[in-house]
Amino acid sequence: MHISIARKIKLSPVRILSIGFALLIFLGAILLTFPISSADGTWTPFLDCLFTSTSATCITGLVTLDTGSHWNYFGKTVILFLIQVSGLGFMSFATLFALILGKKITLRERLIMQEAMNTFDLQGLVKLAKYILIFTFSVEGIGALFLSTQFIPEFGFAKGIYYSIWHSISAFCNAGFDLFGETSNKFISIVGWQRNPVVVMTLGVLIAVGGLGFSVWADIYNYKNMKSLSLHSKIVITITLFLIFGGAAIIYIIEHNNPATIGNMSLVDKFTNSLFAAVTPRTAGMNSIPTAEMMPTSRFFTMVLMFIGGSPGSTAGGIKTSTLGIIIMAIICTVKGKEDTEIYKRRISKDLVLKAFTIATIGLLVVASATMILTVTERKMGFSLEFLLYEATSAFATVGLTLGVTPFLSSLGKVLIILCMYVGRVGPLTIALSLSKNKKKSSIRYPEDKILVG
């Protein structure tokens, strides 16, 4: 009897991941609700705490309450813990504690780790988890060291060290949270540091490193020649470099004469801020120039960058760079009349191509549906369609950039954005698989027929 019940309640790896993220979100929300977390020692509305916890756990950065001014150090540390656990993946943390306690990692736990880390096979997962932890803490430590050279003179030793560690973790995990907001000047992100190249470039490098993916960095570490890199790493590196430097060039061209953004800056500051503006939508959420003051073309281009996001197995969100690479090459090969999708003289399976198109399509549907609903729930505030589309894209891609909509969301709007962030972090395909029933592959194949397309 007990055995049969145990079998019935067994969950698939995708369902465990979905439930795990949800539990972490609710735990964080409960802690943030208590007066011990707020700066003024009062209770914080649960919906705002749920929103903040979801944003931190889904490493997004959208907030209804200014992080720097509303929360005390306990609340800020809770948020940082959620960012770090989610950025690494709670299965990596679970593995760390299991290894410390001397416990063995079971096959079932390895399957969950495989799903969480988005890897190809089960071999070497524990070793990869150790590598992820060492690599993450090392990069975050170096980032904090660079930031401390600027923050300690500004805030003093203790606060400077705390701010350096806090923002290094937030940037590497692509979270987009910051502590620079004040009661009189909220939601300013790192605009106050836009003319400090050390801060801007350090945060930019941390975001790019975190968004590249742990498996790619393992490949780079073991690099001998181009042939030694996996196809996955080649695609990710190619798309990432194109988006960062191509994106920076486009933003510079559009914004270089805009006095509200980079128009009045020096050439060096224009370069660093353009580069940062191309890096942060993928998917960090910090901004060194006011997003609402950018030209409409730049705002639309930023939405495109947000939707693409970072790379699989990284701390970033979006549909991912490899998904974009597969879709582009599938289209090119189809136009050329090729039967197979080919990248770097390798053939991509039709199942993988179909999966890439599925992820992108579900993402577009989620963003479009969320935008449409926001036009109804937020109609009293009078936000334009562009502003609401920007908000929905930012939430789904777990970016955290906003045009000023988030603090003024209605209760229904907050719930909708929470759902978008959750779907975007766990993954639209993972959500769909977790909700579907596990069925055996059908042995029945129906007759093939034709439909006119195009």
Side-chain angles (χ1 to χ4, degrees):
M1 179 68 176
H2 293 293
I3 295 174
S4 62
I5 292 173
R7 285 176 179 171
K8 285 181 181 178
I9 62 173
K10 276 190 175 181
L11 300 172
S12 64
V14 290
R15 288 180 179 173
I16 289 173
L17 284 177
S18 301
I19 294 170
F21 271 108
L23 290 175
L24 189 61
I25 288 168
F26 277 101
L27 176 62
I30 292 169
L31 288 174
L32 292 175
T33 303
F34 292 115
I36 193 176
S37 297
S38 63
D40 58 6
T42 59
W43 292 83
T44 304
F46 181 75
L47 184 57
D48 287 313
C49 294
L50 184 64
F51 193 101
T52 302
S53 182
T54 303
S55 186
T57 305
C58 297
I59 46 180
T60 304
L62 292 174
V63 288
T64 57
L65 302 169
D66 182 69
T67 311
S69 59
H70 181 81
W71 308 106
N72 61 18
Y73 279 103
F74 178 80
K76 292 170 184 174
T77 305
V78 168
I79 292 170
L80 186 64
F81 176 77
L82 294 173
I83 291 170
Q84 184 73 91
V85 171
S86 185
L88 283 172
F90 57 83
M91 281 309 300
S92 295
F93 263 91
T95 303
L96 174 64
F97 284 116
L99 293 172
I100 291 173
L101 296 173
K103 291 185 177 181
K104 291 184 178 180
I105 310 300
T106 65
L107 176 61
R108 183 168 180 76
E109 288 165 346
R110 289 173 190 268
L111 287 169
I112 300 170
M113 289 170 64
Q114 181 187 20
E115 185 67 34
M117 296 177 187
N118 205 3
T119 57
F120 296 111
D121 50 51
L122 292 171
Q123 195 171 13
L125 277 177
V126 177
K127 186 178 179 181
L128 177 61
K130 291 179 183 177
Y131 158 76
I132 289 172
L133 291 165
I134 294 170
F135 177 78
T136 297
F137 295 142
S138 299
V139 173
E140 289 173 349
I142 295 171
L145 189 63
F146 275 94
L147 291 175
S148 67
T149 62
Q150 309 302 309
F151 291 166
I152 290 177
E154 179 70 21
F155 302 112
F157 183 78
K159 188 175 180 179
I161 291 293
Y162 183 83
Y163 270 44
S164 300
I165 295 171
W166 209 99
H167 289 92
S168 181
I169 293 173
S170 180
F172 177 80
C173 292
N174 283 208
F177 281 78
D178 70 271
L179 303 179
F180 300 120
E182 299 174 353
T183 304
S184 58
N185 195 9
K186 299 179 180 180
F187 309 107
I188 61 171
S189 193
I190 65 164
V191 173
W193 298 89
Q194 61 183 199
R195 297 178 188 273
N196 187 316
V198 175
V199 173
V200 173
M201 292 308 297
T202 299
L203 293 174
V205 169
L206 286 168
I207 292 165
V209 171
L212 203 55
F214 299 111
S215 60
V216 175
W217 282 110
D219 257 8
I220 293 173
Y221 179 76
N222 296 314
Y223 177 83
K224 294 178 182 177
N225 51 57
M226 279 299 291
K227 290 183 179 179
S228 67
L229 289 176
S230 66
L231 178 61
H232 169 77
S233 295
K234 289 177 183 178
I235 294 172
V236 166
I237 293 170
T238 302
I239 299 292
T240 298
L241 291 175
F242 175 77
L243 291 175
I244 290 176
F245 292 102
I250 291 172
I251 291 172
Y252 176 83
I253 292 169
I254 299 170
E255 297 291 330
H256 76 283
N257 282 330
N258 183 358
T261 54
I262 64 173
N264 296 326
M265 294 182 182
S266 66
L267 187 61
V268 172
D269 289 334
K270 283 183 178 181
F271 171 76
T272 56
N273 282 275
S274 297
L275 200 60
F276 192 81
V279 170
T280 191
R282 324 209 11 263
T283 51
M286 293 179 179
N287 59 286
S288 61
I289 55 178
T291 52
E293 301 297 330
M294 295 174 78
M295 302 295 286
T297 310
S298 297
R299 294 200 296 261
F300 179 78
F301 181 63
T302 300
M303 281 190 258
V304 174
L305 292 177
M306 288 195 294
F307 187 75
I308 296 168
S311 305
S314 73
T315 57
I319 63 169
K320 305 296 190 292
T321 51
S322 55
T323 302
L324 175 68
I326 291 172
I327 290 173
I328 290 173
M329 291 310 300
I331 293 171
I332 291 173
C333 290
T334 300
V335 171
K336 287 183 176 180
K338 293 184 178 181
E339 186 177 344
D340 298 316
T341 299
E342 300 169 355
I343 306 177
Y344 288 115
K345 297 182 180 181
R346 291 290 186 272
R347 178 171 55 85
I348 306 300
S349 70
K350 286 182 170 58
D351 286 344
L352 200 57
V353 173
L354 182 61
K355 184 177 179 181
F357 275 97
T358 301
I359 290 170
T361 303
I362 293 175
L364 286 171
L365 289 173
V366 170
V367 171
S369 300
T371 304
M372 184 173 65
I373 297 171
L374 284 173
T375 60
V376 177
T377 62
E378 311 309 308
R379 63 184 181 277
K380 290 183 179 179
M381 294 303 300
F383 290 116
S384 67
L385 180 64
E386 179 201 359
F387 277 46
L388 297 177
L389 176 60
Y390 195 103
E391 191 81 4
T393 306
S394 180
F396 167 76
T398 67
V399 178
L401 292 175
T402 181
L403 298 178
V405 174
T406 317
F408 303 101
L409 286 171
S410 65
S411 295
L412 288 175
K414 290 176 184 177
V415 172
L416 179 62
I417 295 299
I418 285 172
L419 291 174
C420 284
M421 291 190 290
Y422 178 74
V423 171
R425 178 65 180 103
V426 178
L429 197 59
T430 302
I431 295 289
L433 290 171
S434 68
L435 295 175
S436 65
K437 294 181 179 179
N438 297 322
K439 293 184 178 180
K440 293 181 180 179
K441 189 175 181 180
S442 175
S443 58
I444 300 173
R445 296 189 72 189
Y446 293 103
E448 186 177 298
D449 212 328
K450 296 180 179 179
I451 299 175
L452 293 174
V453 294

